[in-house]
Amino acid sequence: MLFCFALKMQRGYGDFFPESLTSSLTEDQSKQLCDLLGNVKLTLLYKASVYGYKPLFFHKRCDSQGPTLLVAYNRTGYIFGGYTSVDYTRNEQYITDEEAFLFSFQGKFPVYIKVNSGHYARYDNAGMPNFGQQLYFCKNKQPVVYIQGGKSFSFNAERFYGNDSRLTECEVYKVEQNLQTKEKPWRNIRWTSIRRAELMQMMRDYKPLVTSVSRVRILMIGPVGAGKSSFFNSINSIFTGHVTNKAVSGSAGTSLTTQFRTYPVKDGREGKPLPFVLCDTMGLEEQTGAGLDIEDIRSILQGHVPDRYKFNPITPSQPEGQKASRPVSLKEKIHCVVYMIDATKISLMSDKLQEKLTIIRRKVNSLGITQMVLMTKIDEACPEVEKDLQSLYVSSYIKSKVQEVSSWLGVPVSCVLPVKNYSQELELELNCDVLLLTALQQMLNFADDYLDDVCPMEDNPK
């Protein structure tokens, strides 16, 4: 995908304006924003330092230009703004725009905040731009950003722009689709019902590499709200034939999972159990004494924690004593570890949480257990992917997120798989199923790699 960044000056409003405008975005920042929007080019229409913070010139430059991207800069170095796909027209009306979003650079990458369902994206009038009548830019002809009560967008002012309301610049870009040939995918996948059927049959036919293990055990680990329980529900939905919610899932600030659960999946409601078990745990939290304790994970990996064991963050499970005195067979241990990472929060993850994940990674490595990462909520992280899930592997933005996760978690890029769990859907969807089943297939492959490594050759039937 070739992204063109056009910085053109359209004439016709007075010779006292310059022949061309210069963007305040760096080349990398402009590319990140183009990646977020898809195969687009940006043309700079309006720059406040040139035209002034005046509604008249803003509307002369930006009205009836189609989709636009507003980029604001403040004194403390924050770069933030919003996108709307609907024309500015000064019609004094509320604008519904499901594609609208706010963004803020959190480190190298922009974080994307979509408009809340059922709320207006803008109020279109003769003033300077606003989003949801909640976030106002350059109000009253002043270089400021102003927040007024509203529920169109859910964001934290401190994280969004550092609570620094004084702007140093405000720019508006016209967003146009590139007409060039579609870029070659950076990962190949077949989005067909035939492929879904093939993958489902592979799961049914799968047999663990070692005869003493009838079902491989896959442990899901991740921060609160990353989608561990939702992944089980999604896989269960595919094989049940309709959307299910067997495991408790949601978006609470603390973990909804309080027990260690081992979830078998049946091939249909009355079918046979499939040859894998998904193990769900309490979510990781950054505070000490909250969320899943690292010692609990150690016990789970070694097969000492029974199904429905209730976690106590203050007193972690002790593998000594009764649990450790009983020999643990290979079939009771964990054969593959999967880290669930929310794609919308990668750049926002705290140092403490990253440190916890690093410690866990070291422990899992020491036991020789294979590991991979599922990057969830990809539709919420990228509007291009939200519109069309099949654009996932041509999205440079998602590719950059995969590389970012690979770098800080220390796993190969090939071990990071983007997925979309079922959350608000009422019906199964082909593209979701293909992504989820592809991820599950990799888990089974990785589990076999572990079994192949730990078992004597005579125990290996293959």
Side-chain angles (χ1 to χ4, degrees):
M1 188 182 298
L2 177 63
F3 292 99
C4 296
F5 188 66
L7 302 176
K8 301 175 183 177
M9 174 66 178
Q10 299 176 2
R11 306 182 66 179
Y13 299 110
D15 293 333
F16 54 93
F17 292 130
E19 290 289 334
S20 62
L21 295 176
T22 302
S23 171
S24 296
L25 290 169
T26 66
E27 184 177 349
D28 185 61
Q29 289 164 348
S30 66
K31 184 180 185 305
Q32 291 296 332
L33 289 172
C34 283
D35 288 351
L36 191 62
L37 289 159
N39 186 22
V40 302
K41 64 179 179 180
L42 302 178
T43 301
L44 185 54
L45 297 172
Y46 166 84
K47 192 174 179 75
S49 61
V50 174
Y51 292 99
Y53 294 86
K54 299 176 181 179
L56 173 65
F57 288 114
F58 164 76
H59 284 285
K60 281 186 175 181
R61 301 292 302 161
C62 302
D63 280 2
S64 303
Q65 293 291 336
T68 52
L69 181 74
L70 182 149
V71 183
Y73 311 76
N74 66 14
R75 297 173 302 178
T76 48
Y78 281 77
I79 301 174
F80 57 101
Y83 168 81
T84 177
S85 66
V86 180
D87 283 322
Y88 288 102
T89 60
R90 290 179 277 186
N91 280 342
E92 300 290 338
Q93 61 184 6
Y94 291 99
I95 302 297
T96 298
D97 182 3
E98 293 181 355
E99 296 181 25
F101 64 84
L102 302 178
F103 74 89
S104 173
F105 276 90
Q106 308 284 345
K108 183 179 179 182
F109 301 104
V111 173
Y112 152 75
I113 305 163
K114 65 184 292 187
V115 63
N116 291 325
S117 177
H119 290 270
Y120 294 110
R122 294 191 291 113
Y123 183 70
D124 189 29
N125 59 14
M128 292 298 279
N130 70 84
F131 285 84
Q133 283 195 300
Q134 179 181 2
L135 187 65
Y136 291 80
F137 291 89
C138 315
K139 190 170 184 179
N140 298 324
K141 303 180 183 180
Q142 297 299 311
V144 295
V145 61
Y146 172 74
I147 292 181
Q148 185 171 298
K151 297 181 179 179
S152 291
F153 298 89
S154 301
F155 65 93
N156 179 286
E158 175 64 35
R159 283 184 171 176
F160 191 67
Y161 61 90
N163 269 337
D164 180 5
S165 62
R166 180 66 61 172
L167 300 181
T168 58
E169 185 62 274
C170 184
E171 300 171 331
V172 178
Y173 297 83
K174 180 181 177 69
V175 179
E176 299 176 279
Q177 290 291 320
N178 270 323
L179 300 178
Q180 292 143 351
T181 305
K182 191 174 182 179
E183 185 188 2
K184 181 180 178 181
W186 47 273
R187 205 175 264 175
N188 291 319
I189 191 166
R190 286 189 284 139
W191 305 96
T192 66
S193 57
I194 293 175
R195 181 54 178 166
R196 174 171 59 184
E198 289 175 350
L199 288 165
M200 292 179 72
Q201 193 59 45
M202 288 179 190
M203 308 307 155
R204 297 181 182 112
D205 296 341
Y206 169 77
K207 293 181 180 179
L209 199 63
V210 176
T211 54
S212 62
V213 177
S214 59
R215 290 185 291 179
V216 295
R217 290 163 63 89
I218 299 162
L219 176 64
M220 299 179 288
I221 299 174
V224 171
K228 301 183 304 300
S229 301
S230 293
F231 179 75
F232 161 73
N233 286 333
S234 298
I235 294 296
N236 192 55
S237 297
I238 294 171
F239 284 97
T240 301
H242 61 85
V243 176
T244 65
N245 194 35
K246 186 175 179 180
V248 178
S249 63
S251 55
T254 56
S255 183
L256 293 175
T257 302
T258 58
Q259 296 178 320
F260 174 66
R261 291 305 319 271
T262 58
Y263 289 113
V265 178
K266 290 183 179 180
D267 186 15
R269 188 170 293 278
E270 304 298 329
K272 296 179 181 179
L274 292 162
F276 58 87
V277 174
L278 298 175
C279 303
D280 195 11
T281 61
M282 195 174 187
L284 296 174
E285 298 185 40
E286 61 179 62
Q287 300 93 341
T288 302
L292 185 65
D293 190 274
I294 292 173
E295 287 303 314
D296 282 325
I297 294 176
R298 186 193 308 270
S299 300
I300 293 168
L301 294 172
Q302 295 173 336
H304 293 299
V305 177
D307 185 31
R308 297 186 183 274
Y309 169 80
K310 188 172 178 61
F311 295 110
N312 183 347
I314 306 300
T315 309
S317 171
Q318 298 297 321
E320 294 79 22
Q322 184 178 356
K323 296 187 187 72
S325 64
R326 178 180 62 84
V328 175
S329 64
L330 180 61
K331 67 180 182 180
E332 296 173 283
K333 295 181 179 181
I334 296 300
H335 309 122
C336 177
V337 170
V338 179
Y339 301 98
M340 299 283 183
I341 304 295
D342 182 342
T344 68
K345 297 180 179 178
I346 294 169
S347 301
L348 303 176
M349 190 171 292
S350 68
D351 292 340
K352 288 183 179 179
L353 208 49
Q354 289 193 39
E355 183 181 356
K356 273 191 174 183
L357 282 166
T358 300
I359 294 170
I360 293 167
R361 279 263 299 140
R362 288 174 185 158
K363 178 59 186 173
V364 177
N365 276 336
S366 71
L367 295 174
I369 302 172
T370 50
Q371 304 167 73
M372 60 181 286
V373 181
L374 290 195
M375 196 170 77
T376 62
K377 303 185 183 181
I378 51 174
D379 55 320
E380 297 180 31
C382 179
E384 179 187 9
V385 173
E386 183 183 32
K387 286 190 289 185
D388 180 9
L389 201 55
Q390 289 193 21
S391 69
L392 170 66
Y393 286 126
V394 294
S395 168
S396 297
Y397 181 75
I398 294 296
K399 184 179 182 181
S400 69
K401 288 292 184 183
V402 167
Q403 292 169 336
E404 186 181 3
V405 170
S406 167
S407 177
W408 67 252
L409 201 52
V411 298
V413 169
S414 60
C415 295
V416 182
L417 276 71
V419 296
K420 179 189 181 310
N421 290 328
Y422 285 107
S423 55
Q424 59 186 6
E425 295 81 5
L426 298 178
E427 301 287 339
L428 296 179
E429 200 274 326
L430 172 63
N431 295 329
C432 266
D433 290 357
V434 170
L435 281 180
L436 291 161
L437 290 168
T438 299
L440 181 58
Q441 180 193 33
Q442 285 297 94
M443 294 175 199
L444 301 184
N445 291 340
F446 278 31
D448 270 349
D449 289 343
Y450 167 71
L451 294 173
D452 189 40
D453 188 52
V454 300
C455 292
M457 290 298 295
E458 58 267 23
D459 291 341
N460 187 334
K462 300 179 183 180

